[in-house]
Amino acid sequence: MSVPLLAATEASALLALTKADILDDYRLAWESRHASLAGRREVFMGKAKFGIFGDGKELPQLAMARAFRAGDFRAGYYRDQTFMVAIGELTWEQYFAQLYAIPDVEAEPATAGRCMNGHFATRLLDEDGKFKNQAQAKNSSADISPTAGQMPRLVGLAYASKLYRQNPELHQFSDFSVNGNEVAFGTIGNASTSEGMFFEALNAAGVLQIPMLVSVWDDHYGISVPAEYQTTKQSISALLAGFQRDGEGQEGFEIYVVRGWDYPALLDTYQKAATICRAGHVPTLIHVTEVTQPQGHSTSGSHERYKPKERLSWEEQHDCLTKMREWLLTEGIAGEDELAQIEKTAAAVIKQARTAAWGAYFNPIQQERDEALKVLNQLVADNGAENQLAELVKSLQTNVTPIRADIVRTLRKALRQVRNNRPTGGRRAAQRLLEECLANSSDRYNSYLFSQSDEAVGNIEEVPAEYADNAPSVDGREVLQACFTANFERDPRVLAFGEDVGYIGDVNQAFAGLQARFGDLRVTDTGIRECTIIGQGIGTALRGLRPIAEIQYLDYLLYAVQTLSDDLACLQYRTKGGQKAPLIVRTRGHRLEGVWHSGSPIQMILGAIRGMHLCVPRNMTQAAGFYNTLLRSDEPAIVIECLNGYRLKEKLPANIGEFTLPLGRPEVLRQGDDLTIVTYGSMCRIVLDAAQQLAAEGISVEVIDVQTLLPFDTDQLIADSLRKTGRVVFADEDVPGGATAYMMQQVLDNQQAYQLLDSAPRCLAAQAHRTPYGSDGDYFSKPSVEDVFDVVYEMMREVDPEQFASIY
């Protein structure tokens, strides 16, 4: 039976709840509070490394959970524990398993122990790496720590609902959407709304008019910094008043303000906001004020250091659990004894979950330690007890809280101790156990940087390009245009968006005419907002679509590097194969003149995006082959097209939408015997020109285009070349010590090719500064044909100074 309308509120959402529903919320709120309190104690006892908790935010999250439906998505932050338990996607045992970092998907399904506590996710993929039915599940995208970093992805999650609703071709994909009725719920702390990502995401959502519901938990502080240093007017809702719609049917946001301890008002606010967001695709923002944070920011320190006594006293009085208890008693919903029993039972539930999780974490390690001790004691018996080996083993045996590193460390040191002794059964057993421990650790801590499914790039069947006898020679941009057209026809999930991509068909015309042909939902212009263009791609890819997100020029990628690095690149890894977002980032670079458009910041990209693939094709046919491969794969990638190649002539393949190019396989562009030059992208033409001039001087150069930097030469074809030539130059347009140094490391270290060299390897890169404007600026800043010639000639002169006389 429903609770009668209460005198203290006009909240209609409360009418739908029974007394049991309300008390169940109270129970869950107290369980969450006890979990926060227990988590802090576990850190201070040394059983966990760090803790950050959701205490003080319990009631708003319970109200949000009651508005959250199957098919909806969350992109939140690390204080949403109450919400995740309330929607049934987190148990308290799993909560503590994450605190202890249990490296097991069954125990800790969100991250398999790879992220600190409070980083929530649902497993969107099955054991084969295929998407599960999202429309029937309550979904959470995987959290990241960087403040406001969840906002770009949130835009994409909500944008997908718009596409699924408005594009009839997508209605068939019922596992991902039911008529676009899904809301993307975002949560963020008040201080993080100071980040540019937050404002960019809100502006994008307002322009796109998408079902994005953002909750701001406002506890007045950002760690120690109060609101007067954070937000204009000390109120994000007041600051964003201009986003408010002028009326029904108008564009803009609906903005609500509600106090974080007012349970009936919270229920009503979330129901209203979610209803308008879901039905009308109106973006909404709920500013939840007067929120408290009873334990401070995290286990790193106490909030008593920076909050005045008056604030601490106010927080104690306005704690949402205290206020709900007062409300329950005032309204006669429950008595003192009933509430006390709920609170007591909640504490017992958390204690039991914590104990079970600790056992799940520690018992396997104890068993592994005991197994290691058996082997190590045998090793001691084989070699005598009067040495350091016995002390080493005793140290492991007396360690009351060992971790796996202690076991492996002891095995390594023990084998080091007996390296000069005769082989024994104990030594062989220790060696086998060490190998087993390292193999298990590789799966626990190092797996899933890339996809391990059947759709990984390495599993895509290679289909060679085919050419008719009378194949036309066309501009490179026309090759791409034909490739994109074929893929849009093949798969209705493929879409493209970015600055100038739609109406004019991108600044280099590779999408020319495609918006008119396929509609503006599939080929779409965006504002100048690189960060959320990438977020738009991540979110739509998470929801089963195949986006191509364009960043107009390579140096503009810097606006989005944080999102690419901390969100997209590590997504498969930080969920241990639980989520994927096969986004293709299309951009262009190299050789254009000017400080800000000529960059080739490959070193930065290589360091930031491990977990993505990086394709650096020398022409547009190669780029098309990569797009065809990637659109059949389930992995994210960046494709950097050559800016000076769009109007160069190329033959058009007859199977332009079907041929695929393998990633990680270099191509030998010119055979040679004296020296190998390894390069990529626009440098290929420069190196080939230099090789031709060197041939006239009797120097035979082999030119290799690596084609992709991630992955890099998986079959070690470059080492094969060095077996023949014995000399190598790595050349590109990046800064010194950048991608040339990376390529050298890959070849000399990973391929052990240093043994094949007869001369010291050389790197030829651009100058350390950016390239000034004009053709002379380009010539004197980036490697030229003459630079390549001189480096190779000098290397050959070192070999035979009589044949190759000094030029200068």
Side-chain angles (χ1 to χ4, degrees), residues 155-165 170 177 180 182 210 539-540 543 545:
V155 172
L157 292 170
Y159 183 60
S161 290
K162 177 178 181 176
L163 296 173
Y164 279 120
R165 175 173 289 184
L170 297 178
S177 177
E182 304 79 26
I210 51 179
T540 50
R543 294 194 59 187
L545 300 175

Side-chain angles (χ1 to χ4, degrees), residues 314-331:
W314 181 90
E315 289 193 8
E316 186 176 354
Q317 295 169 16
H318 289 79
D319 186 297
C320 64
L321 299 192
T322 300
K323 299 293 280 185
M324 185 175 185
R325 196 179 206 281
E326 292 173 357
W327 175 77
L328 290 169
L329 291 171
T330 300
E331 297 295 335

Side-chain angles (χ1 to χ4, degrees), residues 66 111 126 145 148 291 331 429 445 467 470 503 610 781 789:
R66 289 199 174 276
T111 78
D126 61 22
S145 282
V291 173
E331 297 295 335
Y445 307 112
Y467 294 89
N470 58 345
Y503 186 73
R610 298 300 171 95
S781 300
F789 183 99

Side-chain angles (χ1 to χ4, degrees), residues 137-178:
K138 293 184 176 181
N139 309 289
S140 174
S141 58
D143 292 345
I144 60 176
S145 282
T147 55
Q150 68 273 31
M151 295 300 297
R153 176 191 348 128
L154 179 65
V155 172
L157 292 170
Y159 183 60
S161 290
K162 177 178 181 176
L163 296 173
Y164 279 120
R165 175 173 289 184
Q166 296 187 12
N167 183 357
E169 290 184 284
L170 297 178
H171 291 175
Q172 60 185 297
F173 300 106
S174 57
D175 281 0
F176 293 96
S177 177
V178 179

Side-chain angles (χ1 to χ4, degrees), residues 633-692:
S633 170
D634 65 354
E635 300 191 68
I638 297 174
V639 180
I640 303 173
E641 298 166 8
C642 294
L643 250 170
N644 56 2
Y646 291 108
R647 297 192 181 279
L648 297 180
K649 297 299 182 181
E650 301 180 34
K651 286 192 174 182
L652 181 67
N655 57 342
I656 184 61
E658 300 301 323
F659 84 95
T660 56
L661 197 62
L663 276 64
R665 184 187 300 170
E667 182 178 354
V668 177
L669 304 183
R670 180 187 179 105
Q671 296 284 344
D673 299 313
D674 294 327
L675 184 144
T676 301
I677 302 180
V678 179
T679 191
Y680 60 87
S682 293
M683 278 293 292
C684 289
R685 290 192 291 275
I686 290 169
V687 170
L688 285 170
D689 192 351
Q692 185 173 349

